[in-house]
Amino acid sequence: MLRLVLIFALLSCTLSAHAFHTTEVPPLVDVPVWSMATLNEDGSTNFNILTYATPVAIRPDRLYCLGLFKKTKSFENFCRERKCVLLLLTDKHIPYVRLLGGKSGKDIDKEVECAKLSDPGFALQEIDGDDTSMPKVLPSCAYYLKLSVVGDIADGGESHDIATCKVDEILLPGDGDYVANSEEYLSTAKLRALGIITEQGRIAE
């Protein structure tokens, strides 16, 4: 009998070591911080902060999936225009994060507010010269991706919708002297460490 008790105890310990339990806490991953530039109805530019951007295919076209928060000016612009420019931010853009991600384009003109924050050498730029159908962009980003929607935007539930986008063009800053991937991009881990965003990815109060 004692032997059976010991065997049962050992089996229980072994099973417990491989047990699982549920949690509501998602993994705290480190991802790139983007800003999505979209065109307002009046031709001005709106910006946000976007961290739900993932490459999902490379052939025949490069495709990205974007998770878009529904209750925003960026979402309205994106659904209307069906295109945007994704800006891969760097440490130079840290002073802009609270403005871009913590304020709504429905309440303020982000193009004007960005100009207030910028010194003369950091003004918004035209990405396509005189093409007024494209939004302006922040300077000194690591990459610029011109995207257009492929198919329908999928309903992702109460908070977000999901858009599959074709990468129409990949642009680097400068006149050819900038080397691809030579500058470290801004990450969510860095923003959390600086106390700018919370573990839930929201702008900290």
Side-chain angles (χ1 to χ4, degrees):
M1 176 63 86
L2 181 59
R3 179 175 294 179
L4 288 175
V5 171
L6 290 173
I7 291 173
F8 181 77
L10 288 171
L11 286 172
S12 297
C13 290
T14 301
L15 291 173
S16 297
H18 296 284
F20 301 91
H21 68 281
T22 60
T23 179
E24 295 297 322
V25 181
L28 195 61
V29 295
D30 183 26
V31 296
V33 178
W34 303 80
S35 178
M36 185 171 74
T38 55
L39 204 64
N40 293 321
E41 298 97 323
D42 63 1
S44 62
T45 297
N46 189 63
F47 299 96
N48 70 354
I49 291 295
L50 180 72
T51 56
Y52 295 164
T54 304
V56 293
I58 57 174
R59 294 186 182 90
D61 298 311
R62 290 189 180 274
L63 300 179
Y64 268 61
C65 269
L66 309 182
L68 303 170
F69 189 59
K70 293 181 178 182
K71 301 174 183 179
T72 65
K73 187 66 175 175
S74 292
F75 179 75
E76 291 179 4
N77 290 344
F78 183 78
C79 290
R80 183 186 65 254
E81 300 292 329
R82 294 182 62 83
K83 63 183 178 181
C84 69
V85 182
L86 272 192
L87 321 177
L88 184 55
L89 303 184
T90 69
D91 286 3
K92 297 184 182 75
H93 302 99
I94 291 173
Y96 294 80
V97 171
R98 290 188 183 277
L99 168 63
L100 303 184
K103 305 289 184 180
S104 173
K106 295 181 179 182
D107 302 323
I108 63 170
D109 186 327
K110 292 193 180 180
E111 183 173 333
V112 171
E113 296 302 317
C114 281
K116 291 179 182 178
L117 285 178
S118 301
D119 59 47
F122 208 75
L124 298 184
Q125 298 176 336
E126 302 282 355
I127 197 165
D128 269 340
D130 296 329
D131 184 358
T132 57
S133 69
M134 293 300 295
K136 295 177 182 177
V137 297
L138 296 167
S140 301
C141 295
Y143 270 89
Y144 300 84
L145 305 184
K146 293 170 65 175
L147 304 183
S148 57
V149 180
V150 176
D152 295 329
I153 298 174
D155 187 351
E158 182 178 339
S159 62
H160 287 71
D161 277 355
I162 303 163
T164 301
C165 299
K166 175 187 173 184
V167 180
D168 296 315
E169 193 172 7
I170 302 175
L171 300 171
L172 295 173
D175 297 322
D177 54 343
Y178 181 90
V179 179
N181 297 307
S182 62
E183 186 163 8
E184 185 176 351
Y185 59 78
L186 185 59
S187 70
T188 51
K190 185 155 197 175
L191 292 182
R192 284 194 297 267
L194 292 171
I196 296 174
I197 64 171
T198 65
E199 290 189 357
Q200 290 73 38
R202 302 185 184 94
I203 298 294
E205 297 293 334

